[in-house]
Amino acid sequence: MRTTVGIIGAGPAGLLLARLLHNAGIDSVVLESRDRDYVEHRQRAGILEQGTVDVLREAGAAARMDREGIGHDGIELRFDRRRHRVDFPALTGGRSVMVYAQTEVCKDLIALQLAAGGPLLFEAEALAVEGAETPSPHVRFRHQGREDVLECDYVVGCDGFWGVARKAVPADVSRVFERTYPFGWLGILADVPPSHDELVYARHDRGFALLSMRSPTVTRAYLQVPAGTDAADWSDEEIWDELDRRLETDDAWTLKRGPVTAKSVTPMRSHVHEPMRHGRVFLAGDAAHIVPPTGAKGLNLAVGDVVTLARALVELRDTGSDARLEAYSATCLRRVWQAERFSYDMTTMLHRAPDATGFDDRVQLARLDRIATARSAETDLAEGYTGFPLD
Ligand code: RFL
Ligand code: PHB
């Protein structure tokens, strides 16, 4: 099998890259190790930045998002039983975000890809990427029990944190920057309308809580839990009780409870692999970097990477210049580190570390108070949350 761009992974990065290349008349093949049902139902991100919304519209992949997505003009911060709303458009010159689940973005992109006849192979596991430094890199993969080879001009590893593409970058040129956190998120989906019309990020002495949503009838919520927690250790009632405590306010706000339909724990880490390119092999999305979910940046960064890469490949084809392709890793890493900084700040401001002292608690509250009272601090949060520009 032969193609121009071999894409490993049908998460948001791989699927959107295939769509952008298809629109530009560049052929690609997507290899995905899991089955379609699994990919379409894996619960993950919920927030699309303004830039991501714009890219999906330009790519012709936004029809359902524009019908069903819920535009949000702010978030609420809760701390010390107080509530503070951050108004995004007022602080950023009109930018906002959209609540539209990653599962739905993936469903839409898969449907478009299959309708366009674009090769998208499910249950096709990449085993190794070889020949990165040659003009014809290739992917060895297993599909329906048989081993095969995908010959390419370029290979893009969109295969997430646990993928194989990263191994194509030799150890002596790779650098990894990492931080793990001593806590994770216990996430639930529940059949109950959201208790607030915007997302609520809460800092509490018992730990962080986040109230989000998937639709006008489905609540998504998260609780900070110790690293290594098993979701089965928490009954539904205990989860609602804990959300109630951590989200408590001095006014009459109440939490609506309903049947929990899904429950899982996500570990939290920050991780960056540099460089994001070796020869003709490129890394994009979680394959190259992970952020803790507090800043809602992961999916949006994946989108930024593949937009940068697609533009570079189109420029090379149209003008013969590989300047953008050569700059791919540096261009993305600049944005990635801004998002790493923002996600780290949000995480450390809102979560309670197991060894936190009274001093740490007071500093967290001072940071939140500063956002609530100083426009410069609030603007920094609003700009970071709604997203850094794509270039
Ligand atoms: P993905 O989505 O992990 O997709 C990688 C794909 O590659 C496949 N794969 C392989 N295929 C073939 N051969 C192999 N050898 C393969 N190895 C792996 C996998 O099966 C998979 O289909 O990476 P991608 O495309 O880079 O997308 C990244 C995002 O999924 C991720 O950053 C976000 O979900 C992070 N994230 C959030 N991001 C946001 O922007 N906003 C949010 O609100 C947000 N909330 C979250 C999140 C992530 C979470 N979890 C579970 C980690 C909330 C949570 C709880
Ligand atoms: C979600 O709805 O899944 C979500 C929202 C905001 C975050 C993380 C996850 O920061």
Side-chain angles (χ1 to χ4, degrees):
M1 216 196 275
R2 199 185 152 83
T3 187
T4 305
V5 182
I7 299 173
I8 310 173
L15 290 167
L16 180 63
L17 179 61
R19 180 73 193 160
L20 296 173
L21 294 176
H22 169 84
N23 290 349
I26 297 175
D27 65 297
S28 69
V29 171
V30 183
L31 304 175
E32 166 57 50
S33 57
R34 314 302 294 246
D35 64 30
R36 180 175 177 178
D37 189 62
Y38 182 90
V39 171
E40 290 190 340
H41 293 96
R42 187 170 38 196
Q43 274 304 321
R44 286 192 168 178
I47 295 285
L48 308 183
E49 291 173 0
Q50 182 78 57
T52 298
V53 168
D54 295 343
V55 165
L56 289 170
R57 285 186 182 140
E58 279 162 33
R64 199 162 65 95
M65 177 193 81
D66 279 329
R67 282 196 312 273
E68 298 176 16
I70 311 170
H72 277 203
D73 283 343
I75 54 170
E76 187 175 292
L77 298 174
R78 275 191 200 178
F79 55 101
D80 241 0
R81 304 176 68 87
R82 289 162 59 193
R83 313 166 59 157
H84 175 76
R85 178 170 187 263
V86 180
D87 181 333
F88 294 150
L91 293 158
T92 62
R95 295 171 76 79
S96 55
V97 297
M98 186 176 279
V99 172
Y100 189 62
Q102 179 168 328
T103 46
E104 308 314 298
V105 174
C106 289
K107 280 181 202 161
D108 296 346
L109 289 168
I110 287 169
L112 284 168
Q113 181 75 2
L114 295 177
L120 163 52
L121 305 184
F122 289 102
E123 298 176 80
E125 185 191 4
L127 304 172
V129 179
E130 291 160 349
E133 292 161 30
T134 72
S136 184
H138 50 272
V139 184
R140 277 198 301 109
F141 68 100
R142 191 187 298 115
H143 184 43
Q144 292 168 344
R146 290 193 15 223
E147 278 203 26
D148 207 339
V149 175
L150 178 63
E151 307 274 351
C152 315
D153 292 344
Y154 302 96
V155 172
V156 188
C158 299
D159 47 353
F161 185 65
W162 303 104
V164 295
R166 223 163 38 219
K167 293 189 196 131
V169 186
D172 58 344
V173 294
S174 296
R175 290 194 70 189
V176 171
F177 302 87
E178 197 166 36
R179 178 171 291 265
T180 53
Y181 300 87
F183 40 76
W185 279 14
L186 170 64
I188 59 158
L189 276 177
D191 283 336
V192 57
S195 303
H196 189 60
D197 53 5
E198 292 179 330
L199 267 61
V200 180
Y201 287 79
R203 186 246 167 242
H204 194 277
D205 284 345
R206 298 176 63 89
F208 171 71
L210 170 60
L211 207 51
S212 181
M213 62 191 74
R214 285 291 174 268
S215 74
T217 55
V218 176
T219 290
R220 175 83 167 146
Y222 298 94
L223 283 174
Q224 175 189 341
V225 290
T229 295
D230 183 346
D233 294 347
W234 284 74
S235 72
D236 296 356
E237 203 187 341
E238 284 170 327
I239 293 172
W240 288 117
D241 286 349
E242 193 61 24
L243 284 167
D244 237 341
R245 281 192 207 105
R246 296 188 192 181
L247 290 161
E248 68 193 350
T249 58
D250 277 334
D251 58 21
W253 183 86
T254 54
L255 178 68
K256 296 189 191 106
R257 300 182 178 213
V260 173
T261 56
K263 196 162 45 170
S264 62
V265 173
T266 306
M268 309 260 286
R269 61 167 68 83
S270 303
H271 175 107
V272 181
H273 180 280
E274 296 186 357
M276 288 172 58
R277 170 203 180 174
H278 184 67
R280 286 174 172 251
V281 176
F282 295 81
L283 302 176
D286 280 13
H289 41 72
I290 298 284
V291 284
T294 328
K297 286 276 163 275
L299 181 155
N300 296 290
L301 276 182
V303 168
D305 292 350
V306 298
V307 167
T308 300
L309 186 56
R311 280 187 192 151
L313 290 168
V314 170
E315 182 173 278
L316 175 62
R317 185 209 44 201
D318 292 349
T319 69
S321 163
D322 65 359
R324 271 182 194 263
L325 211 51
E326 286 293 322
Y328 170 76
S329 182
T331 304
C332 293
L333 283 170
R334 205 166 156 216
R335 190 169 50 225
V336 165
W337 277 111
Q338 285 303 322
E340 291 287 350
R341 191 277 299 173
F342 176 76
S343 305
Y344 174 81
D345 278 357
M346 287 285 281
T347 301
T348 53
M349 178 170 77
L350 292 165
H351 291 73
R352 191 156 199 282
D355 59 354
T357 63
F359 181 87
D360 299 321
D361 293 337
R362 289 289 189 278
V363 168
Q364 282 186 325
L365 291 170
R367 286 166 74 187
L368 285 156
D369 189 42
R370 176 91 187 140
I371 290 167
T373 52
R375 198 174 165 90
S376 56
E378 196 182 16
T379 302
D380 189 52
L381 190 157
E383 287 179 350
Y385 198 94
T386 53
F388 303 103
L390 292 177
D391 48 17

